[in-house]
């Protein structure tokens, strides 16, 4: 999990965050939006646009995300929030990793995925928020780059775990 360690190093290098002295934006809530993934599957270029329901819970800088595509297809991610130095309650970035991602790319049916997203939110009770960025997906059948674009619709906590189930 080299990528997860690298993300921790960048965030951990900010002494104020490491000491818990910086408050952060809060992504908790329900989001609507889409993923646009472009890549190659079995050597054929493809673009796939999907609109799963996105639920997010946050505790401190730890973030849990669940994408529900319907029909029992659910993907879980965990992330680490990195607040902006000048507007920590409203802006920042989020490093995400799909649960199940490991150091053996493409050896299982599940995809390996990491991403970097930018966040913009208004403090509660406002539900205004945007989340956008890019992730890279690797599976045994191909590779893709996905553009994330989400808008928050509600701030109620959906209870998403901030750690992957092991």
């Amino acid at each position: 999990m080299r990528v997860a360690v690298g993300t921790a190093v960048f965030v951990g290098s900010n002494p104020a965050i490491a000491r818990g002295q910086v408050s952060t934006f809060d992504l908790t809530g329900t989001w609507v939006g889409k993923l646009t993934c472009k890549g190659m599957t079995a050597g054929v270029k493809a673009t796939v646009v999907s609109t799963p329901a996105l639920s997010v819970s946050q505790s401190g800088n730890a973030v849990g995300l669940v994408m529900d595509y319907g029909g029992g297809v659910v993907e879980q991610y965990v992330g680490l929030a990195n607040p902006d130095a000048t507007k920590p309650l409203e802006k920042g970035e989020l490093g995400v990793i799909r649960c199940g991602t490991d150091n053996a790319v493409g050896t299982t049916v599940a995809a390996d995925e990491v991403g970097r997203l930018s966040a913009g939110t208004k403090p509660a009770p406002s539900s205004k928020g945007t989340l956008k960025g890019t992730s890279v997906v690797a599976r045994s059948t191909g590779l893709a780059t996905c553009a994330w674009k989400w808008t928050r619709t509600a701030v109620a906590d959906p209870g998403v775990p901030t750690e992957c189930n092991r």
Side-chain angles (χ1 to χ4, degrees):
M1 301 232 300
R2 209 174 272 156
V3 173
V5 171
T7 301
V9 169
F10 282 114
V11 174
S13 65
N14 182 330
I17 293 172
R19 290 189 304 270
Q21 295 176 342
V22 175
S23 295
T24 186
F25 55 87
D26 189 356
L27 299 172
T28 299
T30 304
W31 299 73
V32 296
K34 68 180 179 176
L35 287 174
T36 303
C37 298
K38 296 180 180 184
M40 294 188 90
T41 301
V44 177
K45 287 185 180 182
T47 298
V48 176
V49 178
S50 54
T51 57
L54 177 64
S55 300
V56 180
S57 293
Q58 185 170 343
S59 176
N61 287 25
V63 181
L65 305 90
V66 167
M67 287 189 199
D68 188 341
Y69 291 84
V73 179
V74 176
E75 296 174 349
Q76 181 183 0
Y77 298 77
V78 293
L80 191 59
N82 187 14
D84 180 85
T86 57
K87 292 187 176 184
L89 296 178
E90 296 179 12
K91 293 183 178 185
E93 292 190 340
L94 177 67
V96 296
I97 187 166
R98 184 176 178 176
C99 292
T101 295
D102 57 23
N103 63 352
V105 176
T107 59
T108 64
V109 175
D112 294 318
E113 184 175 6
V114 296
R116 181 179 179 184
L117 311 173
S118 64
T121 63
K122 295 290 182 187
S126 175
S127 65
K128 290 185 179 182
T130 59
L131 189 58
K132 57 186 174 179
T134 304
S135 64
V136 177
V137 181
R139 29 172 78 87
S140 60
T141 57
L143 301 169
T145 301
C146 298
W148 297 44
K149 188 172 182 180
W150 302 94
T151 302
R152 186 166 53 187
T153 59
V155 294
D157 189 348
V160 175
T162 58
E163 294 183 2
C164 294
N165 299 331
R166 301 211 182 240

